[in-house]
Amino acid sequence: MIYLKTIFSAPNEIKYLKLNLREAFDYIDNFIICEYNRTHTGEERELIFERYINQFSDAELDKIIYLGADISKEALLAKGNSEIAHKNEQLMRGYFASQVNLKGSDIVFSVDADEIIFGQFYEPITDKLGYFNRAIKLPLHQFFYRVNYLWENKDFIAPTVCKVKYYGKKYPAQWRYDGKLYPEKVGCHFSWLLTTEEMINKLNVYSHNPEYGHLARKDVCEEAVRTKTYPFDSSVDFKIRVLDVYKDTQYYPRKIYDMLDDFQYMMG
């Protein structure tokens, strides 16, 4: 069995779930969507995915395994502690393996919600899994703030694909940043494609809140997007190239062209 696994945590991520499933549809058996009743900072949140199931076709719903989980006993309140916040994040990435009936030979593509694997790469990637390549780390094109703002000098390498037995009994495994590097970019990461309000909310609840929570201000967020600058670290070389979505098709998943209306408000 081949699984695509992701984490859902906010309404703006529905479009990414739809896009990922449509790209992967012909190459995977199931799409595991994990949602948790805690944020990375350990605070309570409501499970909301079922409000959006009408946005998926019956055929798509047949592929989805939805895991709406109560992790109150395992997640901890971070209270400004970065180490605890990242432990909560790892718990969320690895919790599914204790809840879904997986076999050691099953293959899992593990991505965050805004990381899209191009459909044409699923088979070449799985073909490379074997004795010497038990896990593969996937590089993606990095977009920032807007769907056509390419961070052209950034190598984003995070999603992992592996056989379940690679992690064995380790719990919770990270299912990320692991394996031999694939030789070409196989998808795209739509990072911080958010409205100002969504940016502020993310800064308040995600795992890097202890480091960057002070940036959760309207003026800071709006200025960063307007000037195409990177407020998290002024020493980072942040070069944005504005693409033409209709001409620079090599940077995008094929299925995005069937649902550009979902991304129109995030077009720079």
Side-chain angles (χ1 to χ4, degrees), residues 184-200:
E184 56 185 311
K185 291 180 179 177
V186 301
C188 54
H189 177 210
F190 292 123
S191 186
W192 290 90
L193 270 67
L194 304 168
T195 65
T196 301
E197 182 180 347
E198 289 166 348
M199 290 176 74
I200 291 171

Side-chain angles (χ1 to χ4, degrees), residues 11-179:
N12 65 76
E13 294 173 347
I14 286 292
K15 59 184 177 292
Y16 300 125
L17 302 189
K18 290 160 58 179
L19 180 54
N20 240 331
L21 178 53
R22 292 173 187 181
E23 275 289 305
F25 192 87
D26 293 332
Y27 311 102
I28 63 170
D29 295 291
N30 289 110
F31 184 27
I32 302 172
I33 298 174
C34 306
E35 183 180 17
Y36 301 104
N37 70 331
R38 297 280 170 167
T39 67
H40 289 165
T41 54
E43 297 173 2
E44 290 188 38
R45 65 173 295 275
E46 185 180 3
L47 300 178
I48 61 173
F49 175 73
E50 292 185 349
R51 299 177 189 174
Y52 302 96
I53 58 174
N54 64 343
Q55 296 196 31
F56 297 88
S57 69
D58 289 343
E60 289 169 343
L61 289 172
D62 285 342
K63 290 264 190 181
I64 291 174
I65 297 175
Y66 170 63
L67 174 62
D70 181 348
I71 57 171
S72 303
K73 293 182 179 179
E74 296 188 63
L76 301 172
L77 281 174
K79 295 180 180 178
N81 187 310
S82 179
E83 183 178 351
I84 292 176
H86 286 291
K87 283 183 178 179
N88 287 338
E89 183 179 40
Q90 180 166 333
L91 168 65
M92 294 175 191
R93 289 195 171 122
Y95 187 81
F96 80 102
S98 70
Q99 303 298 307
V100 180
N101 186 20
L102 301 170
K103 296 180 180 179
S105 59
D106 290 339
I107 294 172
V108 175
F109 284 78
S110 179
V111 299
D112 280 357
D114 56 5
E115 298 164 1
I116 314 297
I117 306 300
F118 296 162
Q120 66 267 30
F121 280 101
Y122 275 91
E123 290 180 344
I125 292 168
T126 54
D127 286 346
K128 284 187 176 291
L129 281 177
Y131 182 80
F132 293 103
N133 293 330
R134 298 185 181 183
I136 297 174
K137 192 165 43 178
L138 305 177
L140 308 178
H141 298 291
Q142 174 73 56
F143 290 87
F144 221 84
Y145 297 142
R146 296 294 180 260
V147 74
N148 57 329
Y149 286 5
L150 178 70
W151 187 348
E152 61 180 343
N153 58 326
K154 173 69 173 178
D155 290 328
F156 180 81
I157 304 167
T160 288
V161 55
C162 66
K163 292 186 177 180
V164 171
K165 61 185 176 184
Y166 177 78
Y167 287 110
K169 297 182 179 180
K170 183 178 181 180
Y171 174 81
Q174 179 74 284
W175 296 85
R176 195 162 178 81
Y177 309 116
D178 216 346

